[in-house]
Amino acid sequence: MSYHFENIRLDKGMYGQRGRSFVSILEELDPSENYRGTPMEGLDAFQRQLKRFNIHVKGVGSDTVESFFHSSDSAVLFPEFISRVVRQGLEEESIIPAVTAAVTSFDGLDYRSIASSPSEDEKTLRRVEEGAEIPQTILKTQENLVRLHKRGRMLVASYEAVRFQRLDLFSVTLRQIGAYIGRMQLQDAVQVLRNGDGNNNPAQVFQIKDLSSSPALSYEALLEFWNRFDPYTMNTLLVSPDMMLAMLKLPEFQNPLTGLNFQGTGTLASPLGATLLRSSAVPAGTIIGLDKNYALEQVCAGDVSVEYDKLIDRQLERAAITSISGFAKLFAGASKVLSA
């Protein structure tokens, strides 16, 4: 049986088109919906191209890097393969989805988020009498642009050095690059949560000594910190490693059920009901509490980008792998800082 994907002409001009990715162009030429009820169902357009050239990228029987360069058509697939594996590494270890309320993708560099800054009177829940004015929620664009950062690595290798390496092993290095980018993006997110995004919206900072009778971290201080979030809900805690240790040593965190859940699933849940996330991106002596549903917006200018022309024409040598993203503060009161 002949399939349409076997006859598609591939060229590097399918990369770098504004507002369109390589895969989206492939999907236009070879829609996945045409393969329902066939052995190819469940594969996207890129995976069907791997099938076309008999390139196996996973498992013990994975092919070598040179399998992508057996023809000019198959070489066009190599940048997308690298992009996918890097993105996999970025997503595997990233805790950014656990602290962001929304992800915005746009094609450009100048982005303004929206915000609503209600007064205390506007936050009050009032009954609307007949004929009375309905309370308003005013949305407006932020004064300052969201600051975007390019994060990435330069992949340096001669074709001769990697041509006989299995793709499964080569993918380990690519995933590590993705994990590095993810850690840098988390540092950007922590910076915005603490200091704001340049629109006069830093997080309110509380000192432990001001919330409890002890200067050291205590359950009393955590309760007071939790209580300051109304009308938001403190459902996530980003914690520095030293503060995580101090927190887990508290008697209230040594509940047998809490320990059983951690031992069984590796998931830490606090007696306050918030998800605990440890990260070295958080400065020592710092706990960031947030309502993940309202605190932060991630802004992405495109997907993971690779220098496709170098990868196709020069078979590696030097190729930059980058991702451009930034973060915007949505509601200033939805994140607060507890400091030692």
Side-chain angles (χ1 to χ4, degrees), residues 204-209 211 217-218 221-222 225 243 285-289 336-340:
Q204 187 176 7
V205 179
F206 298 93
Q207 299 293 327
I208 291 176
K209 62 182 180 180
L211 298 183
L217 181 65
S218 65
L222 290 173
F225 185 55
M243 294 299 277
T286 303
I287 295 175
I288 302 174
K336 303 181 190 297
V337 174
L338 181 62
S339 182

Side-chain angles (χ1 to χ4, degrees), residues 106 109-113 141-149 192 196-199 201 299 326-329:
F106 83 112
L109 291 176
D110 297 333
Y111 178 82
R112 293 181 190 272
S113 186
T141 56
Q142 295 280 35
E143 180 180 351
N144 294 320
L145 297 171
V146 174
R147 184 172 299 174
L148 302 181
H149 302 278
V192 170
D197 57 12
N199 288 287
N201 52 5
V299 182
F327 296 88
K329 200 81 168 284

Side-chain angles (χ1 to χ4, degrees), residues 27 31 60 85 107 111 152 169 171 192 216 223 243 251 274 290 311 316 328:
E27 285 288 347
V60 178
V85 178
D107 190 16
Y111 178 82
L169 176 61
S171 296
V192 170
L223 285 176
M243 294 299 277
L290 63 142
L311 291 172
L316 288 182

Side-chain angles (χ1 to χ4, degrees), residues 127-135:
R127 183 175 62 187
V128 179
E129 302 293 347
E130 183 176 353
E133 182 180 357
I134 298 176

Side-chain angles (χ1 to χ4, degrees), residues 249-265:
K249 291 177 180 178
L250 296 176
E252 291 80 3
F253 282 74
Q254 297 176 20
N255 183 295
L257 292 179
T258 302
L260 182 63
N261 184 51
F262 175 62
Q263 294 169 18
T265 65

Side-chain angles (χ1 to χ4, degrees), residues 104-166:
T104 300
S105 297
F106 83 112
D107 190 16
L109 291 176
D110 297 333
Y111 178 82
R112 293 181 190 272
S113 186
I114 59 173
S116 172
S117 302
S119 65
E120 290 300 321
D121 180 64
E122 290 171 333
K123 292 179 183 178
T124 305
L125 301 178
R126 296 196 305 263
R127 183 175 62 187
V128 179
E129 302 293 347
E130 183 176 353
E133 182 180 357
I134 298 176
Q136 299 178 3
T137 294
I138 301 175
L139 292 177
K140 58 183 179 180
T141 56
Q142 295 280 35
E143 180 180 351
N144 294 320
L145 297 171
V146 174
R147 184 172 299 174
L148 302 181
H149 302 278
K150 178 184 283 190
R151 305 297 190 189
R153 287 280 190 176
M154 184 69 72
L155 181 63
V156 182
S158 67
Y159 178 61
E160 289 72 21
V162 299
R163 62 180 296 190
F164 297 120
Q165 294 298 324
R166 297 289 176 182

Side-chain angles (χ1 to χ4, degrees), residues 9 11 17 51 80 93 103 127 138 158 165-166 176 194-195 212 275 280 283 296 300 313-314 334 338-339:
R9 172 66 177 163
D11 65 80
Q17 296 193 22
K51 195 84 171 176
E80 175 61 21
E93 297 191 18
V103 178
R127 183 175 62 187
I138 301 175
S158 67
Q165 294 298 324
R166 297 289 176 182
Q176 191 273 337
R194 296 178 61 225
N195 303 319
S212 69
T275 300
S280 57
L296 199 64
C300 302
D313 297 337
R314 303 181 189 177
L338 181 62
S339 182

